[in-house]
Amino acid sequence: MIPLSVAEIAAVTGAELDAVPDAKVLVTGPVVIDSREVAPGSLFAALPGTRTDGHAFAVAALAAGAVAVLAARPVGGPALIVPDVQAALGKIARAVIDRAPNVTVVGITGSAGKTTTKDLAAQLIEKLGPTVAPRESFNNEIGHPLTVLKITSQTRYLVSELAARGLGHITDLCAIAPPRLGVVLCVGHAHTGEFGSLAAIAAAKGELPAALPADGVAILNIDDHRVAAMAHRTPARVVTFGRSPQADVQAQEVGTDALGRPRFSLVARGETAPVQLQLYGEHHVQNALAAAAIAAELGMSVADVATGLSAAVARSRWRMEVTRLPDGITVINDAYNANPDSVRAALTALSTLAHGRRAFAVLGQMTELGDDAERLHETVGEAAAAAGLAGLIVVGEGAAPILVGAKTAASWHGEPVWVPDAATAVRAARDRLRDGDVVLVKASHSIGLERVALALTGERPIADEGPRS
Ligand SMILES: Nc1ncnc2c1ncn2[C@@H]1O[C@H](COP(=O)(O)OP(=O)(O)OP(=O)(O)O)[C@@H](O)[C@H]1O
Ligand SMILES: [Mg+2]
């Protein structure tokens, strides 16, 4: 982190000091919300969690070397008292960014692919200079400022993942670290429940290009008409990416290698270079193009972008994570999250990867879909049947309409079953899978189906328990 004194932090947050012996003492970081991650020089932010209140860990944090606690009330040691700890985190992050004029901020948003694009972009940009990128999906009003607070005086680039669960969220995140480059990947069905409509989702994602400065760059997916239309919402220069021959950064001749990983010709600035991704699923072409557009804007040559993309790996887990077991079964763990678009994309990837072998899917509930949830689950069941699976294992109450949808597909010869929980799903899968089969495991994060995939790969045995939600 770029060091700030306790007095400076108080000034930017409006905090009252409590039991602080010397306000000139520096917070050198890291700023943490988990007391187990405290190091000497840390600031511990006591957030009111849903299960435990961070204030209960303040004493432990101070004992572990925290300079002070950012808190809503006195904690029995040095504290900066603010009415809203989360909002104060954002203000500290903004103060740090304001002290780092050499850092170029890149913001990435979209309904799907943010983390993948962030990981790909970071692997490219790291070659241009010291880069800070979020851990996992640190993309909200807590994870975003925590990421910003990781920059040091050496940092040149900050890649940030920006998530929206409602209108105004992205605007707020952009105020914490104003991006100069802003990427919008797609407008899809994730979190439709909170937004109500795709138009509302588009309006929310469009807050990123709208927040860019006139000398910034809006990097927009030309293949998604709702994203392409955001060109009218930004004062920044527009750079487009996509498969369309109109795109500034294009993928041409898209195909897959023998393992089902996409390859394409990257076309930009009149140059062409071959890319062979290490990721599974053709939907990642879009994410790779977005990362390519970012790196090219930051000065990387098209040839270097192509080489970098071809070497880049999936940094964040449980996103189309493919494990080939010694017994010849292949497990695709895509249990990080799910919505109708990403399940369809995963089913397509499953078929490509299976390439004539028997394909199975273990599917759980897609959460946060609102009033349309039942119908959307049914359509996913229809898509599963259309994918020609040998077997479909539907897990949990909330996912049951997937089974209904699959059964309506008259010409499908595969076997659909419903099981109540993850442990039963593992048994059902083991009963069915044999040498050479490929199985996809996917559901929303809170359903915890990664436990099924980890049990099937042998990484972690499953406890005999019911579903988490
Ligand atoms: N363009 C795409 N179209 C459909 N599915 C996609 C696309 N890109 C990624 N996915 C799938 O969506 C899931 C989540 O990917 P990723 O974690 O990159 O997205 P995210 O936008 O960061 O999600 P979150 O909102 O949960 O942070 C994975 O299953 C991935 O394979
Ligand atoms: Mg993410």
Side-chain angles (χ1 to χ4, degrees), residues 112-116 118 135-139 161 163 316 319 336-337:
K114 297 180 292 298
T115 297
T116 306
K118 171 268 290 185
R135 207 163 96 185
E136 296 154 20
S137 261
F138 274 33
N139 60 18
E161 174 174 339
S316 301
R319 290 164 180 82
Y336 173 72
N337 75 10

Side-chain angles (χ1 to χ4, degrees), residues 278-290:
Q278 306 297 312
L279 312 179
Y280 293 84
E282 218 178 287
H283 50 291
H284 288 312
V285 171
Q286 165 194 300
N287 303 327
L289 288 176

Side-chain angles (χ1 to χ4, degrees), residues 133-156:
R135 207 163 96 185
E136 296 154 20
S137 261
F138 274 33
N139 60 18
N140 63 12
E141 53 291 341
I142 299 167
H144 178 51
L146 288 177
T147 304
V148 175
L149 286 163
K150 286 199 182 332
I151 67 173
T152 69
S153 56
Q154 310 299 312
T155 306
R156 291 289 320 282

